[in-house]
Amino acid sequence: MGYINIDVKRRLMGRFQYDNDLLQEINKLIINENIRSGEIRLIGAVKKARFGFFDQATREYKFIEKNEHMEILSAIGNISIKDGKPFPHVHIALADKNGNVHGGHLMEGTKIFAAEFVVVDYGENKLERIDDEFTGLQLWNL
Ligand code: ZN
């Protein structure tokens, strides 16, 4: 176990516009606002979605695409530094028209219908992603 104690600097609340790419919009927001450490929570709906499943055996992402309208039940993520830049790590849970849930690691290719977000900016950053030999992922330097 490793963790840090960190204070909240500010909160941003807003929405992303129709037809934009959800992950690109999150990236734009955190770059524009220079959020180097924080969290994001988001609900809304998508016109289509693309997300990933990390295969622990092959250490590669399997991409899943859903070309249908779905509700964003919950998208949550954290923001930290990767390769010297603010990086959002976001997971998304989506419900289709029958209420069945799909989801995974949010990837580019998810088109917004509506998206309402809350972003919490922790201000000062102490966490940075580095290569982790046991998982093949880039994890925090703790
Ligand atoms: Zn992930």
Side-chain angles (χ1 to χ4, degrees):
M1 172 167 52
Y3 61 93
I4 60 171
N5 187 350
I6 198 161
D7 292 324
V8 170
K9 180 181 169 193
R10 61 180 173 149
R11 291 183 182 84
L12 310 176
M13 193 172 180
R15 70 183 179 96
F16 296 127
Q17 301 297 325
Y18 182 84
D19 234 10
N20 287 310
D21 185 281
L22 182 55
L23 186 56
Q24 286 178 6
E25 291 300 292
I26 293 169
N27 262 306
K28 271 188 226 163
L29 176 68
I30 67 172
I31 298 290
N32 288 347
E33 292 293 331
N34 193 30
I35 298 170
R36 302 175 62 77
S37 174
E39 62 184 281
I40 181 163
R41 299 191 289 270
L42 186 147
I43 57 172
V46 298
K47 298 168 77 177
K48 63 176 190 170
R50 184 165 172 268
F51 45 88
F53 172 82
F54 188 75
D55 186 321
Q56 296 175 19
T58 63
R59 295 181 161 205
E60 284 176 349
Y61 277 101
K62 176 189 167 211
F63 300 103
I64 299 159
E65 293 193 25
K66 291 277 171 190
N67 206 355
E68 57 189 297
H69 300 170
M70 291 181 286
E71 296 283 318
I72 304 173
L73 301 180
S74 174
I76 63 166
N78 56 57
I79 301 153
S80 59
I81 299 298
K82 182 172 147 184
D83 302 324
K85 293 184 303 196
F87 169 79
H89 180 198
V90 180
H91 285 193
I92 189 165
L94 300 153
D96 67 19
K97 64 179 188 296
N98 299 313
N100 295 314
V101 175
H102 312 270
H105 178 106
L106 180 65
M107 299 279 188
E108 282 190 14
T110 299
K111 275 264 186 288
I112 296 167
F113 183 75
E116 300 171 345
F117 63 79
V118 175
V119 172
V120 183
D121 182 0
Y122 298 162
E124 180 190 3
N125 174 66
K126 292 173 185 163
L127 294 180
E128 189 152 359
R129 291 186 179 276
I130 53 173
D131 290 330
D132 178 74
E133 62 172 310
F134 296 108
T135 62
L137 294 165
Q138 284 190 303
L139 300 178
W140 288 328
N141 56 335
L142 293 167

